[in-house]
Amino acid sequence: MTLVQLEYIVAIDTYRSFVTAADKCFVTQPTLSMQVQKLEELIGAKIFDRSKQPVSPTEIGTQIIAQSRIILQESGKIKELITSQQQDVLGELRIGVIPTVAPYLLPEVISAMLEKYPDLKLMIWEYNTEDIIQHLKTGVLDCGILATPLINANLTELPLYYENFVSYISKNSKLFKKKAIDAEDLTDENIWLLNEGHCMRNQVLNICRSTKNNRLQGLEYNTGSVETLVRMVDLNGGATLLPELAITELSAKQISKIRYFKSPEPVREISLVTHKNFIKKRMLNALKDEILEIIPKTMKQRKKKDIIGI
């Protein structure tokens, strides 16, 4: 049994395709298949059910793959321990980011990191919270940038900043004349929400303390885009809640529709999250420093803010 064979079965499980797994492992598909077959013959069990499409692990295969991920994680720490002792920031950092953070935070952070650390390879995916948690546990991702607290014993959270929720209100709403609002003011308002599965949807519902959804005159619209929420308010009325960093993308006319909440302001805590055994400390610290460099000072303070659970 070799680490290469374990890498192959983990890749197949991740991509659910022998062809894609071979491509990601930089080998031919026959080579990958042969090594998997050798491993199955060695252990005397089938790891994958090849009759299903996409390919899926057998019951015992699922357990073998889970253990393989642990073995690969632990073996990889030898190289990471050596790298962590070097002064340069180099290597590969695999990051998962929730979609309501990525477009407002990452472009500037990525640009700065690529310029400062030419030997660092960033691999970034937008996932929802549940997917990021799962990928951190299995080792597919090194770290995540997402709303916390998660309350998960297997994960370590490093809070970065506290981002206000702001209301975006149609000019036709009775709330438009208000300079600041309370959560209770939204009770009778039609609120546009993100799809199920987005943690920000849950936070907005927690703020409104209502199950009122995005139905207007028989319409139910599902979206994963903050920009679409803004557009829906502009064209169809009602209101929505936005993360404060999203305001930078709005026009002057749209800014006039923003209303802040009265103190204590509802905020979401955004953190860097890793598995508890994560050791790429130098890369993680570099990422943290670049994020904090662009975050306004007011967002770094927790005082007089109400952290909304997810």
Side-chain angles (χ1 to χ4, degrees):
M1 186 182 301
T2 68
L3 291 177
V4 170
Q5 290 171 331
L6 300 187
E7 288 175 359
Y8 289 170
I9 65 172
V10 166
I12 295 168
D13 180 59
T14 299
Y15 301 106
R16 296 303 167 104
S17 165
F18 276 76
V19 175
T20 305
D23 182 60
K24 296 295 184 180
C25 293
F26 304 102
V27 296
T28 64
Q29 192 265 323
T31 297
L32 180 138
S33 296
M34 180 184 66
Q35 288 299 324
V36 173
Q37 185 176 353
K38 283 185 176 180
L39 179 57
E40 289 177 326
E41 291 173 353
L42 176 65
I43 63 177
K46 288 292 183 182
I47 299 174
F48 295 102
D49 184 347
R50 293 164 176 78
S51 67
K52 294 182 178 180
Q53 290 299 325
V55 65
S56 60
T58 61
E59 184 176 349
I60 187 64
T62 299
Q63 299 177 54
I64 293 170
I65 292 166
Q67 186 62 38
S68 297
R69 291 186 185 276
I70 295 173
I71 293 170
L72 291 172
Q73 279 184 298
E74 294 301 316
S75 66
K77 288 180 181 179
I78 297 175
K79 183 177 180 180
E80 291 172 9
L81 282 169
I82 297 172
T83 301
S84 67
Q85 299 303 309
Q86 300 172 344
Q87 294 302 312
D88 296 331
V89 176
L90 51 85
E92 180 181 280
L93 189 63
R94 298 162 296 174
I95 309 168
V97 191
I98 55 175
T100 56
V101 166
Y104 315 112
L105 180 68
L106 286 188
E108 194 171 343
V109 170
I110 291 172
S111 178
M113 293 199 71
L114 292 179
E115 182 178 350
K116 288 185 180 181
Y117 310 112
D119 295 321
L120 176 63
K121 181 179 180 181
L122 297 176
M123 302 179 69
I124 302 169
W125 293 267
E126 287 189 24
Y127 290 127
N128 62 33
T129 297
E130 290 301 320
D131 287 338
I132 291 177
I133 291 173
Q134 181 60 29
H135 291 327
L136 288 173
K137 289 180 179 178
T138 59
V140 173
L141 293 175
D142 292 315
C143 65
I145 303 174
L146 61 164
T148 53
L150 301 175
I151 312 176
N152 189 310
N154 293 314
L155 303 176
T156 299
E157 301 172 10
L158 176 63
L160 295 169
Y161 60 92
Y162 304 91
E163 183 178 21
N164 281 17
F165 283 102
V166 298
S167 56
Y168 186 76
I169 298 172
S170 168
K171 286 187 175 181
N172 298 324
S173 171
K174 63 182 180 181
L175 300 180
F176 186 76
K177 295 181 179 180
K178 293 197 170 206
K179 293 183 178 180
I181 66 171
D182 290 316
E184 288 75 14
D185 293 330
L186 298 171
T187 302
D188 297 322
E189 193 65 66
N190 287 304
I191 306 296
W192 292 93
L193 300 171
L194 293 176
N195 289 345
E196 296 280 358
H198 287 271
C199 62
M200 200 180 93
R201 174 191 174 94
N202 298 335
Q203 290 173 310
V204 170
L205 289 174
N206 286 338
I207 292 171
C208 297
R209 298 179 177 87
S210 167
T211 56
K212 184 168 280 193
N213 61 20
N214 58 337
R215 287 195 177 96
L216 287 176
Q217 298 178 346
L219 171 68
E220 181 173 355
Y221 192 94
N222 296 289
T223 181
S225 166
V226 171
E227 289 76 14
T228 301
L229 295 178
V230 170
R231 186 70 171 159
M232 282 298 179
V233 173
D234 288 341
L235 296 180
N236 298 291
T240 192
L241 269 64
L242 307 175
E244 189 174 10
L245 288 180
I247 295 177
T248 60
E249 304 292 316
L250 302 182
S251 66
K253 183 178 180 180
Q254 290 173 321
I255 290 290
S256 69
K257 300 178 184 179
I258 293 293
R259 297 293 182 273
Y260 281 83
F261 285 89
K262 297 175 183 177
S263 183
E265 298 165 298
V267 302
R268 61 176 183 174
E269 179 184 76
I270 301 298
S271 301
L272 268 177
V273 181
T274 64
H275 191 273
K276 63 181 180 180
N277 296 326
F278 179 80
I279 64 171
K280 296 182 181 179
K281 304 296 186 182
R282 195 175 297 277
M283 282 185 272
L284 191 72
N285 286 334
L287 176 61
K288 179 196 72 174
D289 291 344
E290 292 306 323
I291 292 173
L292 293 179
E293 185 69 25
I294 69 169
I295 293 298
K297 185 177 180 180
T298 54
M299 287 192 187
K300 299 175 187 177
Q301 301 171 355
R302 182 174 175 173
K303 190 177 180 180
K304 294 184 179 180
K305 295 179 179 180
D306 180 19
I307 297 177
I308 306 300
I310 61 173

